[in-house]
Amino acid sequence: LFAGKNACRPTINQRRIKEEFKMSWDNITGDSSILPSSNGGQDEIKLESGKAKKIRLILPNGSEPYSYLEHCLEVETVENGQMVRTFRTIRCPKTTQNPNASCPLCDGQQVRRRVRHACNVFDYDLGKVQKLNAGELVFQTIATTRKMGVDVLGVDWGIMKTGEGRNDTTYTATNLGASQFNYDPAAHGNLFDIEAEYAPSTVEDM
């Protein structure tokens, strides 16, 4: 009749259920996210509509921008107790090195994907190394300028965002001309491992 001193101790299943409920309440209040977040957005160049951001590309030892595929999903999340629709990005497992990787969003649901590019840059406003993660509108201009024989690492660039909405936002890159710049890790900060920062998502993360 008596379970002894262990009678009030929660079982393994009870502890698991308690933790699951704790996570669920946090999801409801918006204090945590059901879906995992990506580390890629940390230390990225932040663009404000109508305000140019002056940067300098840093691609040492002949390195090039890292390119990857990205899916964009519309999901419902809770913010301040209200259900809102947001967009979540997922880096596609398919890469140049592994083009046949399994991706449920490509192979099954056929969710739209876009090409993204990323590299280290010097942010003149912050005075330190940041990551530039952008699409074709920015990097095509830079690549075309390079193809015309311009040293794209020897000039400053102005990146401009216009618009706010998902369907009316555009980006432009402008060659601001040559200037003296020498990357100094001690003063400007260490470079990011871009390929690791924007590594493909795993199927488990999806």
Side-chain angles (χ1 to χ4, degrees):
L1 296 177
F2 297 95
K5 62 180 181 180
N6 293 326
C8 294
R9 289 184 179 179
T11 65
I12 293 176
N13 285 339
Q14 287 173 329
R15 289 196 296 269
R16 177 178 59 79
I17 292 172
K18 181 180 179 182
E19 180 63 22
E20 287 179 353
F21 275 122
K22 177 178 180 294
M23 292 173 63
S24 295
W25 283 121
D26 288 344
N27 296 149
I28 292 171
T29 60
D31 293 326
S32 66
S33 174
I34 296 175
L35 301 174
S37 60
S38 163
N39 292 328
Q42 297 177 357
D43 301 305
E44 280 186 354
I45 291 290
K46 300 296 189 294
L47 298 173
E48 299 178 25
S49 182
K51 183 179 179 181
K53 172 70 74 169
K54 183 180 177 182
I55 64 168
R56 185 70 164 240
L57 301 180
I58 304 177
L59 294 165
N61 304 320
S63 61
E64 299 182 358
Y66 174 69
S67 302
Y68 64 96
L69 299 173
E70 181 179 78
H71 294 284
C72 187
L73 294 175
E74 185 176 6
V75 297
E76 292 185 342
T77 59
V78 177
E79 293 182 5
N80 299 322
Q82 300 293 322
M83 185 69 71
V84 296
R85 289 186 175 182
T86 59
F87 291 91
R88 177 183 179 234
T89 57
I90 300 174
R91 292 188 291 275
C92 182
K94 297 182 185 295
T95 64
T96 302
Q97 293 76 20
N98 191 12
N100 297 318
S102 175
C103 176
L105 300 181
C106 287
D107 305 333
Q109 303 177 44
Q110 297 183 341
V111 176
R112 182 181 68 88
R113 66 187 185 190
R114 60 184 181 178
V115 178
R116 303 288 289 179
H117 313 282
C119 70
N120 284 289
V121 300
F122 179 71
D123 184 330
Y124 281 96
D125 291 337
L126 298 180
K128 64 179 183 178
V129 173
Q130 294 282 86
K131 297 174 291 187
L132 175 63
N133 178 29
E136 302 284 73
L137 292 177
V138 170
F139 276 93
Q140 259 191 1
T141 299
I142 298 174
T144 300
T145 303
R146 176 180 177 274
K147 201 169 184 178
M148 296 172 65
V150 176
D151 178 10
V152 295
L153 305 183
V155 301
D156 296 325
W157 291 91
I159 310 299
M160 174 75 83
K161 170 187 174 183
T162 56
E164 291 289 352
R166 180 168 175 262
N167 297 318
D168 66 351
T169 300
T170 60
Y171 300 87
T172 56
T174 302
N175 180 354
L176 300 179
S179 69
Q180 184 66 32
F181 176 82
N182 294 306
Y183 166 61
D184 179 2
H188 303 149
N190 294 326
L191 299 180
F192 296 96
D193 184 342
I194 295 296
E195 190 165 348
E197 292 281 338
Y198 297 96
S201 299
T202 64
V203 175
E204 289 75 16
D205 288 338
M206 297 182 184

Coordinates of all heavy atoms in Angstrom, one line a residue, residues 92-146:
C92 N 19.2 24.9 -48.1 CA 19.0 23.6 -48.8 C 20.2 22.7 -48.6 O 21.4 23.1 -48.8 CB 18.8 23.9 -50.3 SG 18.4 22.3 -51.2
P93 N 20.0 21.4 -48.3 CA 21.1 20.5 -48.2 C 21.9 20.2 -49.5 O 23.0 19.8 -49.5 CB 20.4 19.2 -47.8 CG 19.2 19.6 -47.1 CD 18.7 20.8 -47.9
K94 N 21.2 20.5 -50.7 CA 21.9 20.3 -52.0 C 22.9 21.4 -52.2 O 22.6 22.6 -52.1 CB 20.9 20.4 -53.1 CG 19.9 19.2 -53.0 CD 18.9 19.3 -54.2 CE 17.8 18.2 -54.1 NZ 18.4 16.8 -54.2
T95 N 24.2 21.1 -52.4 CA 25.3 22.0 -52.6 C 26.1 21.6 -53.9 O 25.8 20.5 -54.4 CB 26.2 22.0 -51.4 OG1 26.8 20.7 -51.3 CG2 25.4 22.4 -50.1
T96 N 27.0 22.4 -54.2 CA 27.9 22.1 -55.4 C 28.6 20.8 -55.1 O 28.8 20.0 -56.0 CB 28.9 23.3 -55.6 OG1 28.1 24.5 -55.9 CG2 29.8 23.0 -56.8
Q97 N 29.1 20.7 -53.8 CA 29.8 19.5 -53.5 C 28.9 18.2 -53.3 O 29.4 17.1 -53.5 CB 30.6 19.7 -52.1 CG 31.7 20.7 -52.2 CD 31.2 22.1 -52.2 OE1 30.1 22.4 -51.8 NE2 32.0 23.1 -52.7
N98 N 27.7 18.5 -53.0 CA 26.7 17.4 -52.8 C 25.4 17.6 -53.4 O 24.4 17.8 -52.8 CB 26.6 17.1 -51.3 CG 25.8 15.8 -51.0 OD1 25.7 15.0 -51.8 ND2 25.4 15.7 -49.7
P99 N 25.4 17.7 -54.8 CA 24.1 18.1 -55.5 C 23.0 17.1 -55.4 O 21.8 17.4 -55.6 CB 24.6 18.2 -57.0 CG 25.8 17.3 -57.0 CD 26.5 17.4 -55.7
N100 N 23.3 15.8 -55.0 CA 22.3 14.8 -54.9 C 21.8 14.6 -53.5 O 21.1 13.6 -53.2 CB 22.8 13.5 -55.5 CG 23.1 13.6 -57.0 OD1 22.4 14.2 -57.7 ND2 24.2 13.0 -57.4
A101 N 22.1 15.5 -52.6 CA 21.7 15.4 -51.2 C 20.2 15.3 -51.1 O 19.5 16.0 -51.9 CB 22.3 16.5 -50.3
S102 N 19.7 14.6 -50.1 CA 18.2 14.5 -49.9 C 17.7 15.8 -49.3 O 18.3 16.4 -48.3 CB 17.9 13.4 -49.0 OG 16.5 13.3 -48.7
C103 N 16.7 16.4 -49.9 CA 16.0 17.6 -49.4 C 14.5 17.4 -49.6 O 14.0 17.5 -50.7 CB 16.5 18.8 -50.2 SG 15.6 20.3 -49.7
P104 N 13.8 17.3 -48.5 CA 12.3 17.1 -48.6 C 11.6 18.3 -49.3 O 10.6 18.1 -49.9 CB 11.9 17.0 -47.1 CG 13.1 16.6 -46.4 CD 14.3 17.2 -47.1
L105 N 12.2 19.5 -49.1 CA 11.6 20.7 -49.7 C 11.8 20.8 -51.2 O 11.0 21.4 -51.9 CB 12.1 21.9 -49.0 CG 11.9 22.0 -47.5 CD1 12.5 23.3 -46.9 CD2 10.5 21.9 -47.1
C106 N 12.8 20.1 -51.7 CA 13.1 20.1 -53.1 C 12.4 18.9 -53.7 O 11.7 19.0 -54.8 CB 14.6 20.0 -53.4 SG 15.5 21.5 -53.2
D107 N 12.6 17.7 -53.1 CA 12.2 16.5 -53.7 C 10.7 16.2 -53.5 O 10.1 15.6 -54.4 CB 13.0 15.3 -53.1 CG 14.5 15.5 -53.3 OD1 14.9 16.2 -54.2 OD2 15.3 15.0 -52.4
G108 N 10.1 16.6 -52.4 CA 8.7 16.3 -52.2 C 7.8 17.5 -52.3 O 7.0 17.5 -53.3
Q109 N 8.0 18.5 -51.5 CA 7.0 19.6 -51.5 C 7.4 20.6 -52.6 O 6.5 21.4 -52.9 CB 7.1 20.3 -50.1 CG 6.8 19.4 -48.9 CD 6.9 20.1 -47.6 OE1 6.5 21.3 -47.5 NE2 7.5 19.5 -46.6
Q110 N 8.6 20.5 -53.1 CA 9.0 21.4 -54.2 C 8.8 22.9 -53.8 O 8.2 23.7 -54.5 CB 8.3 21.1 -55.5 CG 8.6 19.7 -56.0 CD 7.9 19.4 -57.3 OE1 7.0 20.1 -57.7 NE2 8.4 18.4 -58.0
V111 N 9.3 23.3 -52.6 CA 9.2 24.6 -52.1 C 10.2 25.5 -52.9 O 11.3 25.1 -53.2 CB 9.5 24.7 -50.6 CG1 9.5 26.1 -50.1 CG2 8.5 23.8 -49.8
R112 N 9.8 26.7 -53.2 CA 10.6 27.6 -54.0 C 12.0 27.9 -53.3 O 12.0 27.9 -52.1 CB 9.9 29.0 -54.2 CG 10.7 30.0 -55.0 CD 9.9 31.3 -55.1 NE 9.8 31.9 -53.8 CZ 10.7 32.8 -53.3 NH1 11.8 33.1 -54.1 NH2 10.5 33.4 -52.2
R113 N 13.0 27.9 -54.1 CA 14.3 28.2 -53.5 C 15.0 29.3 -54.3 O 14.7 29.6 -55.4 CB 15.2 27.0 -53.5 CG 15.6 26.4 -54.9 CD 16.3 25.1 -54.8 NE 16.8 24.7 -56.1 CZ 17.3 23.5 -56.3 NH1 17.3 22.6 -55.4 NH2 17.7 23.2 -57.6
R114 N 16.0 30.0 -53.6 CA 16.7 31.1 -54.3 C 18.2 30.9 -54.0 O 18.6 30.2 -53.1 CB 16.2 32.4 -53.7 CG 16.4 32.6 -52.2 CD 15.8 33.9 -51.7 NE 16.0 34.0 -50.3 CZ 15.6 35.1 -49.6 NH1 15.0 36.1 -50.2 NH2 15.8 35.1 -48.3
V115 N 19.0 31.6 -54.8 CA 20.4 31.6 -54.7 C 20.8 32.7 -53.7 O 20.4 33.8 -53.9 CB 21.1 31.7 -56.0 CG1 22.6 31.7 -55.8 CG2 20.7 30.5 -56.9
R116 N 21.7 32.4 -52.8 CA 22.3 33.4 -51.9 C 23.8 33.3 -51.9 O 24.4 32.3 -52.2 CB 21.8 33.1 -50.4 CG 20.3 33.1 -50.3 CD 19.7 34.5 -50.4 NE 20.0 35.3 -49.3 CZ 19.6 36.6 -49.2 NH1 18.9 37.2 -50.1 NH2 19.9 37.3 -48.1
H117 N 24.4 34.4 -51.6 CA 25.9 34.5 -51.6 C 26.3 35.2 -50.3 O 25.6 36.1 -49.8 CB 26.4 35.2 -52.8 CG 25.8 34.8 -54.1 ND1 26.2 33.7 -54.7 CD2 24.8 35.4 -54.8 CE1 25.5 33.6 -55.8 NE2 24.6 34.6 -55.9
A118 N 27.5 34.8 -49.8 CA 27.9 35.4 -48.5 C 29.5 35.5 -48.5 O 30.2 34.7 -49.1 CB 27.5 34.5 -47.3
C119 N 30.0 36.5 -47.8 CA 31.4 36.7 -47.7 C 31.7 37.6 -46.5 O 30.8 38.3 -46.0 CB 32.0 37.2 -49.0 SG 31.7 38.9 -49.4
N120 N 32.9 37.7 -46.1 CA 33.4 38.6 -45.1 C 33.5 40.0 -45.7 O 33.9 40.2 -46.8 CB 34.7 38.2 -44.5 CG 34.6 37.1 -43.6 OD1 34.1 37.2 -42.5 ND2 35.1 35.9 -44.0
V121 N 33.1 41.0 -44.9 CA 33.2 42.4 -45.3 C 33.6 43.3 -44.1 O 33.4 42.9 -43.0 CB 31.9 43.0 -46.0 CG1 31.5 42.2 -47.2 CG2 30.8 43.0 -44.9
F122 N 34.1 44.4 -44.4 CA 34.4 45.4 -43.3 C 33.3 46.4 -43.4 O 33.0 47.0 -44.4 CB 35.7 46.1 -43.6 CG 36.0 47.2 -42.5 CD1 36.3 46.8 -41.2 CD2 36.0 48.5 -42.8 CE1 36.6 47.7 -40.2 CE2 36.2 49.5 -41.9 CZ 36.5 49.1 -40.6
D123 N 32.6 46.6 -42.2 CA 31.5 47.5 -42.1 C 32.1 48.8 -41.5 O 32.5 48.9 -40.4 CB 30.5 46.9 -41.1 CG 29.3 47.8 -40.9 OD1 29.4 49.1 -41.1 OD2 28.2 47.3 -40.7
Y124 N 32.1 49.9 -42.4 CA 32.7 51.1 -42.0 C 31.9 51.8 -40.8 O 32.5 52.5 -40.0 CB 32.7 52.1 -43.2 CG 33.9 51.8 -44.1 CD1 33.7 51.0 -45.3 CD2 35.1 52.4 -43.9 CE1 34.7 50.8 -46.2 CE2 36.2 52.1 -44.8 CZ 36.0 51.3 -45.9 OH 37.0 51.1 -46.7
D125 N 30.6 51.6 -40.8 CA 29.8 52.2 -39.7 C 30.2 51.6 -38.3 O 30.3 52.3 -37.3 CB 28.3 52.0 -39.9 CG 27.8 52.8 -41.1 OD1 28.5 53.8 -41.5 OD2 26.8 52.4 -41.7
L126 N 30.3 50.3 -38.3 CA 30.7 49.6 -37.0 C 32.1 49.5 -36.8 O 32.6 49.2 -35.7 CB 30.0 48.2 -37.0 CG 28.5 48.1 -37.1 CD1 28.0 46.7 -37.1 CD2 27.8 48.9 -36.0
G127 N 32.9 49.6 -37.8 CA 34.4 49.5 -37.7 C 34.9 48.1 -37.4 O 35.9 48.0 -36.7
K128 N 34.2 47.2 -37.9 CA 34.6 45.8 -37.7 C 34.1 44.9 -38.8 O 33.3 45.3 -39.6 CB 34.1 45.3 -36.4 CG 32.5 45.2 -36.3 CD 32.1 44.6 -34.9 CE 30.6 44.5 -34.8 NZ 30.2 43.9 -33.5
V129 N 34.6 43.6 -38.8 CA 34.2 42.6 -39.8 C 32.8 42.1 -39.5 O 32.5 41.8 -38.4 CB 35.2 41.5 -39.8 CG1 34.7 40.3 -40.7 CG2 36.6 41.9 -40.2
Q130 N 32.0 42.1 -40.6 CA 30.7 41.5 -40.6 C 30.5 40.6 -41.7 O 31.4 40.4 -42.6 CB 29.6 42.6 -40.7 CG 29.6 43.6 -39.5 CD 28.9 43.0 -38.3 OE1 29.5 42.3 -37.5 NE2 27.6 43.3 -38.2
K131 N 29.4 39.9 -41.8 CA 29.1 39.0 -42.9 C 28.1 39.7 -43.8 O 27.1 40.2 -43.4 CB 28.5 37.7 -42.4 CG 29.5 36.9 -41.5 CD 28.8 35.7 -40.9 CE 27.8 36.1 -39.9 NZ 27.2 34.9 -39.2
L132 N 28.4 39.7 -45.1 CA 27.4 40.2 -46.1 C 26.7 38.9 -46.7 O 27.4 38.1 -47.3 CB 28.1 41.0 -47.2 CG 27.2 41.4 -48.4 CD1 26.1 42.3 -47.9 CD2 28.0 42.1 -49.5
N133 N 25.4 38.8 -46.5 CA 24.6 37.7 -47.0 C 23.5 38.3 -47.9 O 22.6 39.0 -47.4 CB 24.0 36.9 -45.8 CG 23.1 35.8 -46.3 OD1 23.3 35.3 -47.4 ND2 22.1 35.5 -45.5
A134 N 23.6 38.1 -49.2 CA 22.7 38.8 -50.1 C 22.4 37.9 -51.3 O 23.1 36.9 -51.5 CB 23.3 40.2 -50.5
G135 N 21.5 38.4 -52.1 CA 21.1 37.7 -53.3 C 21.8 38.2 -54.6 O 22.8 38.9 -54.5
E136 N 21.2 37.9 -55.7 CA 21.7 38.2 -57.0 C 21.8 39.7 -57.2 O 22.7 40.1 -57.9 CB 20.9 37.5 -58.1 CG 20.8 36.0 -58.0 CD 22.1 35.3 -58.4 OE1 23.1 35.4 -57.7 OE2 22.0 34.7 -59.5
L137 N 20.8 40.4 -56.7 CA 20.8 41.9 -57.0 C 22.1 42.6 -56.6 O 22.6 43.5 -57.2 CB 19.6 42.5 -56.4 CG 18.2 42.1 -56.9 CD1 17.1 42.8 -56.1 CD2 18.1 42.5 -58.4
V138 N 22.6 42.1 -55.5 CA 23.9 42.7 -54.9 C 25.1 42.1 -55.6 O 26.0 42.8 -56.1 CB 24.0 42.6 -53.4 CG1 25.3 43.0 -52.9 CG2 22.9 43.4 -52.7
F139 N 25.2 40.8 -55.5 CA 26.4 40.2 -56.0 C 26.6 40.1 -57.5 O 27.7 40.0 -58.0 CB 26.5 38.7 -55.4 CG 27.1 38.7 -54.0 CD1 26.2 38.8 -52.9 CD2 28.5 38.7 -53.8 CE1 26.8 38.8 -51.6 CE2 29.0 38.7 -52.5 CZ 28.1 38.8 -51.4
Q140 N 25.5 40.1 -58.2 CA 25.7 40.2 -59.7 C 26.4 41.5 -60.2 O 27.2 41.4 -61.1 CB 24.3 40.0 -60.4 CG 24.1 38.6 -60.9 CD 22.8 38.5 -61.8 OE1 22.2 39.6 -62.1 NE2 22.5 37.4 -62.3
T141 N 26.0 42.6 -59.5 CA 26.6 43.8 -59.8 C 28.1 43.8 -59.6 O 29.0 44.2 -60.4 CB 26.0 45.0 -59.0 OG1 24.6 45.1 -59.4 CG2 26.7 46.3 -59.3
I142 N 28.5 43.2 -58.4 CA 29.9 43.1 -58.0 C 30.6 42.2 -59.0 O 31.7 42.5 -59.5 CB 30.0 42.6 -56.6 CG1 29.4 43.6 -55.6 CG2 31.5 42.4 -56.2 CD1 29.3 43.2 -54.2
A143 N 30.0 41.0 -59.3 CA 30.6 40.1 -60.2 C 30.8 40.6 -61.6 O 31.8 40.4 -62.3 CB 29.8 38.8 -60.3
T144 N 29.8 41.4 -62.1 CA 29.9 42.0 -63.4 C 31.0 43.0 -63.5 O 31.8 43.1 -64.4 CB 28.6 42.6 -63.8 OG1 27.5 41.7 -63.8 CG2 28.7 43.3 -65.2
T145 N 31.1 43.8 -62.4 CA 32.2 44.8 -62.3 C 33.6 44.1 -62.3 O 34.5 44.6 -63.0 CB 32.1 45.6 -61.0 OG1 30.8 46.2 -61.0 CG2 33.1 46.7 -60.9
R146 N 33.7 43.0 -61.6 CA 34.9 42.2 -61.6 C 35.2 41.7 -63.0 O 36.4 41.7 -63.5 CB 34.8 41.1 -60.6 CG 36.0 40.1 -60.6 CD 35.8 39.0 -59.6 NE 36.8 38.0 -59.6 CZ 36.9 37.0 -60.4 NH1 35.9 36.8 -61.3 NH2 37.9 36.2 -60.3

